[in-house]
Structure formats: structure tokens, C-alpha cells
């Protein structure tokens, strides 16, 4: 009898979880309500991104906070293989519990440039696994890199989503670093926010104007590690925050990911911003992702989510509802 009752409880939880997921979907219409920061002021040092330059762009979100589409956004990332999104470690680290976030806490949105709107090309995927180096340090941000594995592959012929090439060369030793800076072809794509943490809706492209390791040594001291690079671009009073995990791209290759989201809005010169050099971690990334396709059954992802839901339910006051 006890087993039968337990099974009935699990079925109830699974049914409720499914219905909540459907409610979330129905609560995120294709045309989101007008946002107060739909239009960027001319003082922002950047431009709205064209979809052909950001097909790899991913919005990393907390699933439970995304009941209004876009509100759950916490970080940026880059699609580097059909079922692999790369971001920085701090984006999947829960600083309250000092643990890595459970995959069921996350969802990935791609194919749209407005974080508050979804259209026919928008992809919303669950997460099956999250990987971080064992040496990741949440305080010093040493080895600040993370792999997010999606519940299914992005379709090969998708019109607005496509993986970007992963740079396998350490950026500090790459000749393209100097060449790119001369050409001014470093581009960072990010959703921005004001100093009051009010987000803008549209994905923006920021052009890096200088490379200054010395500025970052002076600003960050010993935390400026060997896997980091330092770029400078002008912030303004209009936009003082960029995404952690914002991709840095040059010549259609992913070079680095932003690991510092706060910008000095009052700076008269370029901000010194740190990025994680993905080439520094290329061997670890390739060992973890294999061929980059989804080799994990979505059933296992569903079971993991169910287990997480049951565990959470038992730790809340709503557990009494199932007794």
C-alpha cells in the first residue's frame, strides 16, 4: 500500500510539473508587452546586433524565474556545437548555497535578439548536464568556464541559430590578437542594463577599442589569472552592466567570454574588462563534449528534473499537500 501511495504522489508531482511548464509557455506570448527600454539612447557605445552576427548567442536563464519571458535571464553564452553552450563558471554557480546549479534550474533560449520576445525561430531548451573544471574558484574566478549540455540538438538548418567555431589557440599567443586590434574587429555581444539594473531589451554589439593587461593588473591584482585577457571599451551612464558570459568574437571564431559584468559608468577612459580565454581551456572543453551532439536521452533529463522537483517539494511547506 505504501508503494502505491508513493507512486501516486510521484504521478501528481509529475503532472503538476508538466502543467506548470505548459502554463509558462502560454504565459510567454510571441509579442511581449512593450518594455520601457525598448529603444537604446544614442549615448551607448555600440549598435543593435544583426542576427547574422549572433546566431551563436544564447540567453541563460533560471527556469523558475522566467514565467515572464526574459525575466529569468542571468547570463550570456555561445553555442559551440549542436547541443553545447559555453559560458563562464560564475553563471552556473549558486552563490547562496555555494554549489553548482542543478541542470533542472536552467533553460537556454536562442534565436531571438530581444530577450523579452519569442517568435517562430526562437528555441527554448532544457539542460541535462552542467560541467565545470574541478579547479574552478567562485571567489577568485580561477578557471571560470562552464559547459552546458542541452536536452536536444539544434537543427542543422535552423535559420537563426548556428554554432560558432571555438578558438583552439590561447589568445595571448595568437597573432590574430594584434591583427584584430589593428583592424578594430573585436566584437562583444551582450544584453545590457542600467546602473539601477534595469535591462535593455535588444542584444547589442560593443566594439573593443584597446587591449590593456596593465590596467587589469592594476584593477584586479592577483585575481587576474593566466587564462584571462583584458579588453577596454567605453561605458556610458546609459549602460553600466553587460552579461557575464558575453561572447567575444573575431573573424567568426569564439575567442573569449566576459567574466566581469560591472562597468564604470563615470570612467573618462575605456573600462578594463576581463574575459576568459576559451583557447586556454580548449583541451578540457573538447574532452567533455565529444562530438558535440546530444548523446543523453531526453528521458534521463526528464527523470533528473522529476527527481529535483520531488526533492524540492519535500523541503517546502507544500509537501503537506501531498500527504
Amino acid at each position: 500500500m505504501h508503494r502505491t501511495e508513493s507512486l501516486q504522489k510521484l504521478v501528481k508531482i509529475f503532472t503538476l510539473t508538466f502543467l506548470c511548464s505548459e502554463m509558462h509557455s502560454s504565459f510567454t506570448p510571441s509579442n511581449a508587452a512593450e518594455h520601457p527600454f525598448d529603444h537604446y539612447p544614442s549615448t551607448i557605445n555600440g549598435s543593435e546586433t544583426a542576427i547574422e552576427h549572433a546566431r551563436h548567442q544564447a540567453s541563460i536563464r533560471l527556469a523558475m524565474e522566467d514565467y515572464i519571458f526574459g525575466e529569468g535571464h542571468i547570463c550570456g553564452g555561445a553555442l559551440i556545437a549542436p547541443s553545447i553552450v559555453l559560458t563562464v563558471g560564475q553563471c552556473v554557480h549558486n552563490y547562496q548555497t555555494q554549489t553548482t546549479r542543478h541542470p533542472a534550474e536552467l533553460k537556454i533560449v536562442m534565436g531571438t535578439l530581444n530577450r523579452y520576445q519569442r517568435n517562430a525561430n526562437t528555441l527554448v531548451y532544457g539542460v541535462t548536464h552542467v560541467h565545470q573544471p574541478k579547479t574552478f574558484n567562485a571567489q577568485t574566478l580561477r578557471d571560470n568556464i562552464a559547459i552546458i549540455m542541452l536536452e536536444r540538438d539544434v537543427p542543422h538548418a535552423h535559420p537563426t541559430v548556428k554554432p560558432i567555431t571555438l578558438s583552439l589557440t590561447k589568445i595571448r599567443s595568437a597573432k590574430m590578437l594584434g591583427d584584430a586590434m589593428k583592424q578594430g574587429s573585436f566584437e562583444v555581444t551582450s544584453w545590457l542594463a542600467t546602473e539601477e539594473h534595469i535591462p535593455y531589451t535588444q542584444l547589442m554589439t560593443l566594439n573593443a577599442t584597446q587591449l590593456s593587461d596593465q590596467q587589469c593588473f592594476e584593477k584586479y591584482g592577483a585575481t587576474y589569472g593566466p587564462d584571462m585577457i583584458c579588453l577596454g571599451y567605453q561605458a556610458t551612464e546609459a549602460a553600466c552592466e553587460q552579461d557575464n558570459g558575453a561572447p567575444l568574437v573575431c573573424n567568426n571564431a569564439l575567442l573569449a567570454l566576459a567574466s566581469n559584468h560591472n562597468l564604470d559608468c563615470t570612467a573618462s577612459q575605456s573600462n578594463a574588462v576581463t574575459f576568459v580565454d576559451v583557447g586556454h581551456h580548449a583541451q578540457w572543453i573538447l574532452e567533455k563534449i565529444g562530438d558535440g551532439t546530444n548523446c543523453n536521452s531526453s528521458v534521463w533529463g526528464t527523470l533528473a528534473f522529476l527527481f529535483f522537483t520531488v526533492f524540492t517539494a519535500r523541503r517546502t511547506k507544500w509537501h503537506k499537500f501531498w500527504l
Side-chain angles (χ1 to χ4, degrees):
M1 178 64 70
H2 179 70
R3 290 184 178 180
T4 302
E5 292 178 351
S6 298
L7 181 60
Q8 290 176 343
K9 292 177 183 178
L10 288 175
V11 170
K12 288 181 180 179
I13 293 174
F14 183 80
T15 303
L16 181 61
T17 301
F18 175 78
L19 291 175
C20 287
S21 297
E22 291 300 309
M23 289 173 65
H24 288 173
S25 298
S26 63
F27 200 66
T28 55
S30 58
N31 295 315
E34 185 175 354
H35 194 272
F37 289 93
D38 266 342
H39 302 289
Y40 285 81
S42 59
T43 53
I44 290 184
N45 185 31
S47 58
E48 291 189 6
T49 306
I51 191 63
E52 58 266 24
H53 296 151
R55 296 175 68 186
H56 58 278
Q57 186 79 31
S59 168
I60 300 169
R61 305 182 178 187
L62 295 179
M64 293 300 290
E65 295 184 13
D66 207 48
Y67 51 89
I68 297 178
F69 195 76
E71 286 297 316
H73 174 85
I74 56 171
C75 282
L79 183 75
I80 62 169
S83 66
I84 305 295
V85 168
L86 197 64
T87 189
V88 290
Q90 66 208 90
C91 290
V92 297
H93 184 79
N94 188 326
Y95 280 85
Q96 293 182 336
T97 61
Q98 293 300 318
T99 58
T100 301
R101 292 190 181 278
H102 191 280
E105 295 182 73
L106 304 171
K107 74 176 183 181
I108 306 298
V109 176
M110 296 172 287
T112 182
L113 300 181
N114 186 318
R115 60 176 271 192
Y116 288 96
Q117 291 184 351
R118 60 189 304 173
N119 54 48
N121 292 324
T122 304
L123 299 179
V124 181
Y125 285 179
V127 175
T128 61
H129 296 80
V130 174
H131 297 291
Q132 290 177 280
K134 294 181 180 179
T135 51
F136 168 71
N137 187 305
Q139 278 66 51
T140 65
L141 300 183
R142 175 189 176 187
D143 295 330
N144 186 21
I145 198 82
I147 294 169
I148 296 176
M149 305 186 76
L150 307 179
E151 62 182 346
R152 60 189 185 277
D153 292 350
V154 170
H156 176 71
H158 194 280
T160 60
V161 181
K162 182 180 180 181
I164 190 170
T165 300
L166 177 71
S167 174
L168 303 180
T169 307
K170 293 181 181 180
I171 194 170
R172 284 184 178 178
S173 62
K175 181 178 181 297
M176 63 179 171
L177 183 63
D179 293 341
M181 288 309 300
K182 291 177 182 177
Q183 299 169 10
S185 56
F186 274 125
E187 292 185 343
V188 180
T189 49
S190 176
W191 285 280
L192 304 176
T194 69
E195 190 173 13
E196 293 78 23
H197 314 297
I198 300 174
Y200 291 94
T201 62
Q202 200 72 11
L203 186 71
M204 295 291 287
T205 296
L206 304 173
N207 296 317
T209 57
Q210 70 177 47
L211 175 70
S212 175
D213 278 333
Q214 184 59 37
Q215 282 189 344
C216 275
F217 277 124
E218 293 175 357
K219 184 173 183 179
Y220 300 106
T223 61
Y224 184 63
D227 66 336
M228 297 182 184
I229 60 170
C230 191
L231 292 177
Y233 45 73
Q234 190 72 43
T236 69
E237 293 183 4
C240 302
E241 291 184 5
Q242 68 170 5
D243 287 331
N244 285 326
L248 169 68
V249 173
C250 175
N251 297 329
N252 298 315
L254 176 67
L255 302 187
L257 298 163
S259 60
N260 176 32
H261 71 281
N262 289 318
L263 306 177
D264 185 356
C265 300
T266 62
S268 58
Q269 299 178 348
S270 294
N271 277 266
V273 182
T274 56
F275 286 76
V276 178
D277 182 355
V278 298
H280 189 94
H281 299 281
Q283 182 177 352
W284 175 80
I285 294 169
L286 294 176
E287 288 175 354
K288 287 292 184 182
I289 70 174
D291 65 0
T293 59
N294 181 273
C295 36
N296 308 297
S297 169
S298 60
V299 173
W300 290 109
T302 301
L303 290 176
F305 183 72
L306 178 59
F307 174 80
F308 177 76
T309 304
V310 173
F311 177 77
T312 302
R314 288 182 174 276
R315 293 175 62 88
T316 66
K317 63 181 181 180
W318 298 106
H319 174 54
K320 296 179 180 179
F321 176 77
W322 305 105
L323 295 177

